[in-house]
Amino acid sequence: MNTKIKTLVSASLLSLAVTTGAAAQDDLQFTVLTQTGIDNTFWQAIKRGMDDACEDYQVDCQLLFTQENGNLQMHLQNLETTIAQGVDGIATVIVDDNLYDDAIERAVDADIPVVTINVDDTEGPDGNARLAFIGQDLFQAGYEVAKGLLAGMDKGAPQHVLLGLARPGESWAEDRIGGARKYLDEAIADGWNLTHETIDSANDLSVTGQRICQYVQGNNATTAIIGAGFWFSGAGECLRDLGIAPNTIQMGGFDLVPILLDEMNKGYVHLTVDQQPYLQGYLPIQQLYFINKFGLSAYDVNTGKALIRPADVAAVEKFSAMGVR
């Protein structure tokens, strides 16, 4: 291998680096940035895709995490620093429709190609100068989660759905829960005896689990839970502690992290959506390479909304263990 891959964790004005390999063949330098901490399980699959693409195309890559989940100012600082370094390409998330506009426009004006991954500006190219988006249609995915979860429930019986908004104000969470809420409202209009309520559920397995269980204790009519990410699966343990049997409350959300699949096997999670994070790491490196090498254009990629149910766990667990699903 002669690819250089760095994982950087921003810590105020300092960064901690883990470097492997030697100098890249084409001397191209690409940076991927996220607003999450390095302990975010989901982002490890994106990193795996990035690592593989950087090796395949023999380019110098770095992935910048923030010191803590959701530190948008640190994420913006990382982006500004990356632009100042004059790298050959950037892939980043846009979790706030206004915060990154000026920086990304300056990068594109300086001939640094920028693509977004995982989370885009809610207005797409009308809201930001980025060249393309590689990721899931988050609103549609939220809609499909609610639709898929209700498909296994009784239309004639009273249903109360808890919606867990993992990061209020961040577009990815608002879009997913907004899509779920849209379908639930359509179900009500279609005659379902259904109510729903949204809470700030946080983006931490333990904290989210506690908030969900506290809600269920105070609202014992709750029959379903939809989370904006994978953190809702942290409720499985405390639901068992409360004496709530498997399959009593239907739970659904996003991604294929190990704890979620484990809770599926235990009967506490019933539906998740795979957005194929490996592609969200691999494809931006590929596109940035082709832009630099051959002058090709960036293009949007919808990485999918495949519904995964307990019967599918055995088929996807081995890929999850490999870090690619």
Side-chain angles (χ1 to χ4, degrees):
M1 292 193 304
N2 60 358
T3 307
K4 181 166 63 177
I5 300 171
K6 297 179 181 178
T7 300
L8 301 179
V9 183
S10 173
S12 186
L13 299 179
L14 301 176
S15 292
L16 304 176
V18 178
T19 305
T20 60
Q25 176 178 322
D26 291 308
D27 295 324
L28 292 174
Q29 297 182 338
F30 301 146
T31 299
V32 179
L33 304 100
T34 176
Q35 90 290 5
T36 70
I38 197 169
D39 60 342
N40 186 300
T41 311
F42 168 81
W43 266 83
Q44 297 309 310
I46 293 181
K47 181 182 182 300
R48 170 66 186 271
M50 183 200 79
D51 289 349
D52 286 354
C54 294
E55 182 171 346
D56 288 348
Y57 292 98
Q58 296 295 282
V59 292
D60 178 351
C61 298
Q62 62 179 359
L63 172 55
L64 298 179
F65 291 91
T66 55
Q67 183 72 10
E68 53 208 15
N69 280 311
N71 190 328
L72 304 193
Q73 288 301 322
M74 192 171 290
H75 176 218
L76 177 61
Q77 176 183 304
N78 287 343
L79 178 60
E80 295 278 11
T81 300
T82 299
I83 295 168
Q85 290 171 343
V87 297
D88 299 295
I90 294 171
T92 187
V93 300
I94 296 179
V95 295
D96 181 292
D97 279 356
N98 302 307
L99 185 62
Y100 312 97
D101 288 353
D102 291 344
I104 291 177
E105 185 170 5
R106 276 189 280 107
V108 173
D109 288 345
D111 293 326
I112 300 174
V114 180
V115 298
T116 50
I117 61 171
N118 189 244
V119 188
D120 193 22
D121 190 295
T122 58
E123 296 183 48
D126 293 331
N128 190 275
R130 95 294 185 276
L131 304 180
F133 173 59
I134 300 167
Q136 184 181 75
D137 183 327
L138 300 169
F139 189 91
Q140 183 64 32
Y143 184 95
E144 296 296 334
V145 166
K147 181 179 180 180
L149 207 59
L150 259 62
M153 299 170 67
D154 184 356
K155 180 178 180 179
Q159 308 289 351
H160 180 67
V161 183
L162 170 63
L163 299 171
L165 184 59
R167 293 285 298 182
E170 291 192 13
S171 57
W172 62 272
E174 297 284 356
D175 275 359
R176 282 175 169 171
I177 295 304
R181 193 182 294 119
K182 182 176 189 294
Y183 183 79
L184 295 178
D185 288 341
E186 289 177 0
I188 293 169
D190 189 42
W192 279 74
N193 181 9
L194 185 150
T195 56
H196 58 81
E197 185 174 1
T198 304
I199 66 168
D200 176 354
S201 59
N203 61 332
D204 176 274
L205 284 167
S206 177
V207 174
T208 301
Q210 291 171 5
R211 291 185 181 180
I212 288 174
C213 287
Q214 287 171 357
Y215 183 90
V216 170
Q217 283 182 293
N219 299 269
N220 55 19
T222 303
T223 55
I225 297 165
I226 296 174
F230 63 83
W231 301 280
F232 76 97
S233 56
E237 182 176 355
C238 61
L239 289 176
R240 288 188 286 276
D241 291 342
L242 292 175
I244 297 175
N247 305 311
T248 302
I249 298 176
Q250 298 291 303
M251 291 211 296
F254 296 84
D255 305 326
L256 294 176
V257 301
I259 186 174
L260 189 150
L261 297 177
D262 186 48
E263 291 296 339
M264 271 194 164
N265 285 329
K266 292 176 179 177
Y268 285 87
V269 172
H270 305 85
L271 181 68
T272 190
V273 179
D274 178 21
Q275 59 177 312
Q276 302 189 106
Y278 180 89
L279 293 180
Q280 296 177 18
Y282 193 97
L283 294 179
I285 300 303
Q286 182 186 65
Q287 287 200 27
L288 293 172
Y289 178 82
F290 288 156
I291 289 169
N292 280 272
K293 194 73 172 176
F294 305 123
L296 299 181
S297 299
Y299 55 94
D300 294 337
V301 180
N302 187 336
T303 59
K305 53 180 177 60
L307 298 181
I308 306 297
R309 300 182 184 275
D312 305 311
V313 170
V316 300
E317 271 186 320
K318 64 178 181 179
F319 299 113
S320 176
M322 292 169 57
V324 298
R325 291 293 296 276

